[in-house]
Amino acid sequence: EIGFPLGRVDDDIAYLNNHIAIKILYHTSPDFEGRRIVAFEVEASSIKHSKFDRSNPNSVPDSCGRPNEWQSVSSDKVEEIVFTYSVDWDYDAVKWSSRW
């Protein structure tokens, strides 16, 4: 599938996918130095983020780790929406030369 959905509509309420979870799969072997990326996955989700310290560049909303509400959007109200992403690196036994 190309791309990811921007959101969804449930019971006439629109929800925006404002969080992207990126999983990078890599392979390593004694046959070469370093790591090789063999695949990646992207999953979009909707998270109504909690408040956080915007003046601190290392501050992260608690809701990133424990989402409990979706981010709704409406043409009737103006609201600041926080966009976030996460990255996970996972080992995969698939060799780079046979990844397709």
Side-chain angles (χ1 to χ4, degrees):
E1 183 176 328
I2 296 175
F4 53 84
L6 294 178
R8 63 183 152 280
V9 176
D10 287 334
D11 297 325
D12 292 330
I13 300 172
Y15 297 98
L16 178 68
N17 285 339
N18 59 330
H19 180 82
I20 305 299
I22 303 167
K23 183 190 287 188
I24 300 173
L25 302 164
Y26 67 90
H27 180 76
T28 186
S29 169
D31 299 337
F32 60 87
E33 187 176 323
R35 294 169 180 83
R36 293 180 177 166
I37 295 173
V38 294
F40 68 92
E41 301 169 2
V42 177
E43 184 177 336
S45 60
S46 181
I47 300 175
K48 172 75 173 169
H49 287 296
S50 57
K51 302 286 186 221
F52 66 102
D53 183 3
R54 288 179 178 9
S55 65
N56 178 353
N58 296 318
S59 179
V60 177
D62 289 339
S63 51
C64 279
R66 290 171 280 148
N68 60 4
E69 188 178 346
W70 292 349
Q71 176 65 61
S72 63
V73 291
S74 170
S75 60
D76 298 340
K77 64 179 180 177
V78 176
E79 183 177 0
E80 182 174 296
I81 298 174
V82 176
F83 287 83
T84 56
Y85 69 93
S86 60
V87 180
D88 289 317
W89 292 81
D90 292 334
Y91 172 80
D92 197 302
V94 173
K95 293 181 180 179
W96 187 83
S97 59
S98 59
R99 66 195 185 283
W100 310 115

